[in-house]
Amino acid sequence: MLLGTQRVNSYGHLEIGGCDTTWLADEFGTPLYVLDEAAIRANCRSYRTAFESCYPQNRICYAGKALLTRAICKIVQEEGFNLDVAALGELYTALSAGFPARSINLHGNNKSSEELELAVSKRVGHIVLDNFLEIEMLRSIARKGYRRVNVLVRVTPGIDPHTHKLIRTGQADTKFGFNIRDGAALTAVRQVIAAPELHFKGIHCHVGSQLLETDAQVQAVHIMVKFMHTIRQHTGVTAGELNIGGGLGVRYIESHRPPSFQEYAEAITGELISALNRYKLPYPILVQEPGRSIIGETGTTLYTIGAIKTVPIKSKPGHRTYVAVDGGMSDNPRPQLYDAVYQAILADYADRPAERIVTIAGKHCETDILIWDTLIAEPHTGDILAVQTTGAYNFSMASNYNKFQRPAVVLVNEGQADLIVARESLRDLIRNDRIPDRLKATRRTPAISARYSQPEPIRS
Ligand code: LLP
């Protein structure tokens, strides 16, 4: 499977954005996250066009949690997207890239006063309220700042989508949002409407992520419209915005078949329009927050292959070949967290048939298998392995486990490669590390010092 601008060049190497990946590996080192700018822009445009063709009143916010750097902020802004940020650091990153605050939504299920204060003082476009504590906190911050704040109320539509249990969020039993069924959501909306500091703009939900079917989102749209009707019946207020979050899935492996943007747009807006007509509601602005579907397939991680070992196993075929790479769970924790599956290409022999079944292992002190039993061309130590579809929730979830340095991120386009995040240095790893004064003079425990400070007796 070749994604975005990926192709095999005349040297038989994998090329992305017109750049030979073996050259990228040489130039920037590995592990390396490579982002395909043309593919990001193409996704933004086709997502937008698909929805505009079905339902013109819409606004699309890129979900920064998938991958946020200042260059990405610039690209999504140029493509006419707004931005969804989930916490202080994402908000800070966006503001420092010059992203217009009015085009930002602030999320979070336990927002701090620091987050709310920054959002209010910078006048972010919308704050998505998640719990009763936040309503009170935001009211008092808004009062102090003499600002009326636009808010959405996040609700849980009570839907259980088909996806990994840790990335389902729309079911009733969740930490996110206000429950519609137990009345909490309506109470929250009433409180917001009654608060002079807050401007009730509408409602929000996010049912889950990596959705490969449209049914859960379609059901959610129906429930959300019904809830808009309930709000109007009980308060006389009409929600002007309906935010249905993100969630559309991507191709991690060849057999994944997510709906196309057009199919997704038609399914959602078809249900939206029919439900709005059924409940005789005016058409709200449809807001969305896609993350993975915009950036996921546009990212590739390059690794250098190190040790290769074949071990006997009990089941067929009687052995397994482990191909170890120079990264692992610190640059991609998803296989461990969600049993996520991936596909890889041997970047320096991309023209050779993928005939060898191997298991791609990370180099952490854990069984950090990146891909179990996958087909690639015959691998050798020193080859470059390209793991595909690593654009979303890889760099953004990377860690320093085992004191690994987080990899660099390179943006490629039409033969040009720009470093947009530098590789962490060893010095970065200890930059915030402090030794208290009382530990600075190196002292040994008495037993150890006695043992090591006595000269060894010389035996004749
Ligand atoms: N909006 C809200 C409120 C969200 O919670 C999320 C994702 C999104 C939008 C974007 O969803 P997307 O279009 O990317 O599916 N770390 C997990 C995914 C967690 C998603 C959390 N919320 C993973 O690696 O699969």
Side-chain angles (χ1 to χ4, degrees):
M1 132 178 123
L2 290 175
L3 301 166
T5 67
Q6 289 180 343
R7 67 176 201 110
V8 179
N9 67 17
S10 53
Y11 299 103
H13 298 170
L14 177 68
E15 189 180 286
I16 311 174
C19 297
D20 188 314
T21 50
T22 64
W23 176 81
L24 291 172
D26 257 9
E27 183 70 15
F28 299 99
T30 57
L32 181 70
Y33 297 115
V34 180
L35 290 175
D36 181 345
E37 180 176 344
I40 302 172
R41 290 185 187 277
N43 285 344
C44 291
R45 284 175 203 169
S46 48
Y47 201 101
R48 206 149 55 93
T49 316
F51 275 89
E52 274 167 6
S53 68
C54 301
Y55 189 89
Q57 305 97 294
N58 71 78
R59 187 165 70 231
I60 305 173
C61 310
Y62 167 68
K65 68 206 80 185
L67 188 159
L68 197 70
T69 76
R70 293 183 301 159
I72 296 299
C73 288
K74 293 285 184 202
I75 293 174
V76 296
Q77 187 189 347
E78 277 177 22
E79 295 302 329
F81 273 43
N82 283 22
L83 189 67
D84 145 19
V85 297
L88 188 65
E90 289 183 6
L91 178 57
Y92 175 80
T93 303
L95 293 173
S96 64
F99 206 92
R102 65 175 181 285
S103 307
I104 298 178
N105 279 0
L106 174 67
H107 270 284
N109 70 303
N110 186 23
K111 299 178 193 71
S112 65
S113 44
E114 197 183 357
E115 287 167 330
L116 292 172
E117 274 160 14
L118 182 64
V120 171
S121 68
K122 297 291 177 190
R123 298 176 191 255
V124 307
H126 295 79
I127 295 181
V128 185
L129 290 169
D130 184 277
N131 55 68
F132 290 109
L133 172 66
E134 248 171 35
I135 299 181
E136 287 317 308
M137 284 166 71
L138 185 58
R139 287 189 61 183
S140 93
I141 290 167
R143 216 174 294 137
K144 276 189 265 164
Y146 307 104
R147 299 265 156 88
R148 189 152 184 243
V149 183
N150 291 335
V151 301
L152 297 181
V153 173
R154 177 165 181 167
V155 306
T156 45
I159 288 167
D160 220 345
H162 310 294
T163 191
H164 191 277
K165 67 177 189 309
L166 295 181
I167 51 177
R168 286 176 210 155
T169 45
Q171 69 280 18
D173 181 3
T174 173
K175 69 170 191 174
F176 293 104
F178 297 95
N179 198 304
I180 295 183
R181 260 183 250 159
D182 73 0
L186 187 60
T187 307
V189 170
R190 283 184 194 280
Q191 287 187 9
V192 168
I193 291 171
E197 308 84 358
L198 307 181
H199 187 187
F200 173 68
K201 297 293 273 188
I203 53 175
H204 171 282
C205 74
H206 172 77
V207 302
S209 209
Q210 182 55 8
L211 306 175
L212 293 174
E213 290 149 20
T214 55
D215 54 344
Q217 277 295 46
V218 166
Q219 269 185 61
V221 165
H222 185 94
I223 293 169
M224 295 298 276
V225 173
K226 190 168 163 205
F227 185 54
M228 286 167 61
H229 170 69
T230 308
I231 294 173
R232 192 160 72 166
Q233 272 187 324
H234 286 80
T235 67
V237 173
T238 307
E241 295 188 17
L242 171 59
N243 185 329
I244 57 164
L248 180 59
V250 295
R251 287 168 292 179
Y252 283 100
I253 54 174
E254 203 125 23
S255 59
H256 284 163
R257 296 261 177 276
S260 68
F261 292 158
Q262 192 64 37
E263 286 163 346
Y264 185 64
E266 283 169 14
I268 284 180
T269 59
E271 179 63 30
L272 176 62
I273 292 167
S274 84
L276 289 167
N277 292 343
R278 190 169 326 137
Y279 291 107
K280 299 194 170 44
L281 284 164
Y283 287 15
I285 298 173
L286 175 66
V287 187
Q288 293 181 80
E289 301 164 340
R292 191 190 316 260
S293 56
I294 300 298
I295 202 90
E297 291 182 6
T298 75
T300 306
T301 308
L302 303 181
Y303 300 98
T304 302
I305 293 177
I308 300 177
K309 79 173 61 141
T310 299
V311 300
I313 55 170
K314 287 217 176 85
S315 55
K316 263 183 135 179
H319 63 269
R320 175 172 281 127
T321 298
Y322 287 95
V323 172
V325 294
D326 53 353
M329 65 182 286
S330 57
D331 59 76
N332 184 1
R334 299 192 68 258
Q336 236 108 341
L337 284 172
Y338 318 115
D339 295 322
V341 290
Y342 284 90
Q343 200 160 298
I345 299 178
L346 205 60
D348 39 357
Y349 294 102
D351 56 345
R352 296 204 181 155
E355 289 177 336
R356 185 85 147 86
I357 298 180
V358 297
T359 288
I360 310 297
K363 63 172 269 168
H364 290 273
C365 288
E366 302 246 355
T367 305
D368 63 333
I369 302 302
L370 284 172
I371 318 179
W372 287 100
D373 300 330
T374 188
L375 276 170
I376 60 170
E378 185 65 37
H380 303 95
T381 297
D383 283 345
I384 303 299
L385 187 80
V387 174
Q388 295 176 292
T389 317
T390 59
Y393 307 108
N394 272 228
F395 171 68
S396 65
M397 291 174 71
S399 76
N400 291 122
Y401 182 43
N402 290 153
K403 287 274 184 266
F404 273 46
Q405 299 135 258
R406 267 181 278 242
V409 186
V410 165
L411 185 69
V412 293
N413 194 26
E414 295 183 352
Q416 192 178 326
D418 293 298
L419 187 67
I420 60 168
V421 181
R423 183 178 306 282
E424 282 178 338
S425 64
L426 287 173
R427 192 163 276 278
D428 287 333
L429 295 177
I430 54 166
R431 187 187 302 143
N432 299 321
D433 181 307
R434 305 281 182 271
I435 300 178
D437 283 343
R438 65 191 173 77
L439 298 180
K440 274 190 181 147
T442 330
R443 276 177 296 172
R444 298 185 184 128
T445 61
I448 292 176
S449 33
R451 209 161 92 217
Y452 288 98
S453 56
Q454 298 297 321
E456 287 275 306
I458 299 165
R459 290 167 211 270
S460 52

